Each structure stands twice: as structure tokens, then as C-alpha cells.
Amino acid sequence: MSGHATFEPKNPALKWFESRLPLVGLIHSSFVAYPTPRNLNYWWTFGGILSLMLVCQILSGVVLVMHYTPHASLAFDSVEHIMRDVSYGWLLRYMHANGASMFFIAVYLHMFRGLYYGSYKAPREVLWILGCIIYLLMMATGFMGYVLPWGQMSFWGATVITNLFSAIPVVGPTVVQWLWGGFSVDNATLNRFFSLHYLLPFMIAGVVVLHVWALHVVGQNNPTGVEPKSAKDTVPFTPYATIKDAFGMVCFLIFFAWFLFYIPNYLGHADNYIPANPLVTPAHIVPEWYYLPFYAMLRSVPDKLGGVLTMFGAIVVLFFVPWLDTSKVRSGAYRPLFKQFFWIWIAVCIGLGWLGSKPAEGGYVIAGRILTVWYFAHFLIILPLLGLFEKPKAVPASITEAVLGKSKGAAPASAGVQAPQTKG
């Protein structure tokens, strides 16, 4: 899909360099001449937005580390030092903390778009799996970063989540002690989490490179789910996709800036402005908002090991979606029943997130169990059966037919039917 490099430098020095290391040619073929489907909408801008947010998180994190002290007695004060004494330290800290939330907002929208338009179907299975690996690494990185301020919610969140590993038969307690570096969450735990929190973003960047590479091998999906069949179905990445991506990034940065400058603590928790105290347990321990659906699933199962398996299973099942969805039609735009079940599943995810923020009692637990069952039923029962019983709409023969047919007001053509000829 990406084709061969067609870049031919005219500058003698650049020509000499390109003959030995065709770096500029690689960039040109990947981000300038790369053919993209002509019908991509703004849901496809979130890939670029995620790249921007990853760079933002790495750069702000590197600067914050210059002033942070990973010690149980000094970590909380070092964060306050950053906020109060370091020049623009408040901006860096809020940028990093809110940037994590923006990162997850973008990745959830990116994943939902992939699920709706069938971007996990052949030949993009490896592309989808790499995306799921990135998501797992993001969750691990975010959790470890949440511990570093060493406030009440940081400390007790680390205690609760690491204790989950004690549910592993036989070796569970040993694994927990190994994670803690002792018999409780303390200085050794903080140092380990700090080290991994600094390392994992660079691992994410490495998997992102593989993700983009896999994308350029198989090509981008599009709203119709029809593969490009001729040059008329595609446009060069630059300027068409780059301008659209740039506009999407600017809009997203405005949204980010609103949180950053007006409500920087809205997505956080007030208890994290209280220094960690092992003797005082917060009334209600909750993780960051982007973990709440999985936290609700964890609490919905009365058995500890069962809850842990359910929580991790909710992520693992995503890896198998390319094989669980048996429909021959890729895009949800042409699948009426799938479209309805997809939006029900979105509502289930939002409902689980809301329930995760509530106390684990009474009706909240019952509702959590119902929604957890539906979450798994969507992947394990509904998707396989839809492929057998659903009657999809007619799919256009090509991307060009879908685009020009709609613009000219023509009725959608059935698959395999010649598209009407248009002039001009």
C-alpha cells in the first residue's frame, strides 16, 4: 500500500546521504506520497492526535522528572515544589496530569472508531493486536504514574490494585511482596513504579512505530470498508490528510487547553492533595476515570480471583475481536443490527464507568453485574451470531462510487454493479 519511494533529491549533499541512508525517502513515501482513501472522515484524525499526545506526555514527563524526588518521605513535597517554586511547574504538572486523561479520551475514541468500522478485520488483525498492546501499556503506565504524587488516593490505589495479584493461586502472596519490595506499599514500591513509569512510554513509542508500520503495509481502512481498487479511490497523504489531521489536532488542543487552564483538577481526586498516610484509609477508594469500567467489573464479582479474571478478561477479549466477528461486511455503516448493538455496548461501557465511581453496595453492584454480563455477551455471543443472521445493506463496489454517488444524489449501488459514469 505504501509503495516504493519516489523521492529524488536534487541537492548533491542530500543525494549523497539518501544513497546511503534513504531516510528522507522513507518519510516522503510514508507521510507525503502515501495513498490514503479519499473518503476518510474526522474520526480518522485521532491517530495523529494520539501521536501528538504521546510526544506531549514524554516531553512534559522528562522535564517533571528533573524536579521530582522518588522517595516516600519526599515525593509529595517534591510535587508541591514543582507546583509552587519551579517556573511554570504548575503548567507542566497540569499538562502531564490532564494530558493522560486526554490521551485516554483520544485512544477510546480511536478504538471505538475501529470497532464500528471493522478496522480489525482481515488483513488488519496484527494492526489491531498492536493497538491493543499499546492500550495495555498505556494502562500500566497511567496506573504507575498515578502512584507517584504519593497522596492518599495514590497510596491506597497502589495498595488495592497490587493486592489483586494475591488472588493468584499458590504464588500470589509472593508476587505481591515482590511488587511491593517488602511487606507493604512503601519506598521500594514507589521507586519501582517510578522506574517503570519512566521506561514504559518509550516502549509505547516503539510499539507505535510497529503499529504505523503495520498500517502502511495493509493500508488504512475507510468508512465504507471497501479496499481501494484504483488510483481514483485514494489521495496523497499530504496535503489532504495532513490538513485534516492538523485541523483535528487544533480542535483537540483547544479542548485540552480548556481543562488545562480552567478546570485542571476536574478529572482528579481531592484526596490526592493529602499526603499518603498508611493509618488512614479514604472513605471511598477510586482509580482514575479511565479505569472505572474495569473497576466496576472487578467489584461486580464476589470472588476475588473471579473479579481479577473478569477485569483482565475484559481487555483480553479485545485481542480476539477479529475472529469473534464473523460478518463478511467490514463497516458498521452497512450493518443495521450491528449498529444498534454497537451503541448499546457503548452505553454499557459508559454505565460501567459511572458505576465504578459509586460505592460497591446495593443496586450499584447488581447493575454492575448486569452490565458486565452484557459487555462480554457483546463479544462472545452477539458478534458471532450477527455474522450468521444479520442481513447487511448493499456495499458500494468502490470508494469512488460511494463518494461520487452520494455527492451526485444517486442511489447507493449494490455490490458488483457498475457505478454511473460522471464527467468533470
Side-chain angles (χ1 to χ4, degrees):
M1 185 69 183
S2 57
H4 299 286
T6 58
F7 178 72
E8 295 182 1
K10 296 181 180 179
N11 183 282
L14 187 58
K15 187 179 293 185
W16 176 87
F17 180 82
E18 192 70 9
S19 65
R20 288 154 176 80
L21 181 64
L23 180 62
V24 180
L26 176 64
I27 295 172
H28 183 272
S29 63
S30 300
F31 301 105
V32 178
Y34 176 69
T36 60
R38 63 186 294 174
N39 62 336
L40 296 186
N41 55 38
Y42 278 100
W43 292 113
W44 264 262
T45 63
F46 283 96
I49 290 169
L50 284 165
S51 300
L52 175 67
M53 292 311 303
L54 177 60
V55 171
C56 175
Q57 289 300 95
I58 289 176
L59 292 180
S60 60
V62 167
V63 178
L64 285 171
V65 164
M66 298 175 185
H67 304 277
Y68 175 77
T69 306
H71 191 281
S73 302
L74 303 171
F76 186 87
D77 290 335
S78 71
V79 174
E80 289 303 305
H81 165 68
I82 291 170
M83 293 290 291
R84 299 170 186 272
D85 302 326
V86 176
S87 296
Y88 295 101
W90 62 271
L91 181 62
L92 285 167
R93 196 272 175 105
Y94 283 150
M95 185 185 298
H96 197 69
N98 286 281
S101 290
M102 297 300 113
F103 206 169
F104 274 95
I105 288 173
V107 84
Y108 282 135
L109 291 173
H110 191 61
M111 292 169 69
F112 291 159
R113 185 268 295 168
L115 287 168
Y116 182 80
Y117 289 113
S119 297
Y120 49 82
K121 287 180 175 287
R124 298 179 178 86
E125 300 95 333
V126 173
L127 177 67
W128 174 259
I129 290 171
L130 287 169
C132 291
I133 292 172
I134 293 170
Y135 178 54
L136 267 178
L137 290 172
M138 283 179 60
M139 295 188 79
T141 307
F143 166 65
M144 292 174 184
Y146 190 53
V147 175
L148 300 187
W150 212 240
Q152 273 289 76
M153 205 54 67
S154 297
F155 177 87
W156 287 101
T159 302
V160 170
I161 299 302
T162 52
N163 253 312
L164 297 178
F165 291 93
S166 65
I168 302 173
V170 184
V171 298
T174 305
V175 171
V176 172
Q177 287 186 22
W178 177 77
L179 286 171
W180 286 345
F183 297 100
S184 66
V185 174
D186 207 340
N187 190 58
T189 318
L190 178 61
N191 274 273
R192 292 175 184 200
F193 280 23
F194 170 72
S195 177
L196 291 172
H197 182 69
Y198 197 91
L199 170 67
L200 288 179
F202 297 99
M203 292 180 63
I204 292 173
V207 182
V208 166
V209 171
L210 294 177
H211 189 63
V212 174
W213 185 8
L215 173 69
H216 283 224
V217 170
V218 297
Q220 289 179 297
N221 189 27
N222 63 86
T224 64
V226 178
E227 297 292 340
K229 293 180 173 61
S230 68
K232 291 182 179 180
D233 291 338
T234 61
V235 292
F237 189 84
T238 301
Y240 299 98
T242 47
I243 290 177
K244 183 176 283 188
D245 283 357
F247 179 74
M249 288 178 189
V250 170
C251 292
F252 192 81
L253 286 175
I254 293 171
F255 176 68
F256 182 18
W258 178 53
F259 278 90
L260 182 58
F261 294 109
Y262 290 97
I263 47 174
N265 293 303
Y266 183 77
L267 298 172
H269 200 287
D271 281 3
N272 231 27
Y273 280 97
I274 303 172
N277 186 348
L279 303 178
V280 180
T281 307
H284 186 201
I285 300 172
V286 291
E288 288 281 64
W289 69 265
Y290 34 83
Y291 302 128
L292 288 175
F294 305 102
Y295 191 55
M297 294 182 194
L298 171 70
R299 300 187 310 179
S300 297
V301 181
D303 178 67
K304 187 175 183 179
L305 178 58
V308 172
L309 292 176
T310 300
M311 182 179 69
F312 285 107
I315 302 171
V316 171
V317 73
L318 295 173
F319 284 81
F320 297 95
V321 171
W323 297 277
L324 292 172
D325 187 353
T326 57
S327 175
K328 302 299 181 183
V329 176
R330 180 177 291 141
S331 174
Y334 301 97
R335 301 177 60 190
L337 285 177
F338 169 83
K339 191 182 298 185
Q340 295 177 36
F341 282 112
F342 173 82
W343 289 113
I344 292 172
W345 179 77
I346 293 292
V348 166
C349 292
I350 295 171
L352 283 169
W354 179 73
L355 291 170
S357 66
K358 300 297 179 182
E361 58 188 26
Y364 295 132
V365 175
I366 296 171
R369 289 172 182 170
I370 294 170
L371 296 187
T372 299
V373 170
W374 188 279
Y375 178 94
F376 283 98
H378 177 82
F379 294 110
L380 301 177
I381 300 174
I382 295 172
L383 281 185
L385 291 180
L386 278 179
L388 301 175
F389 298 107
E390 184 181 39
K391 185 177 180 181
K393 295 179 181 179
V395 179
S398 67
I399 295 173
T400 302
E401 178 184 306
V403 173
L404 297 183
K406 181 182 291 188
S407 66
K408 296 296 182 181
S414 299
V417 177
Q418 180 65 34
Q421 298 295 320
T422 57
K423 296 182 180 181

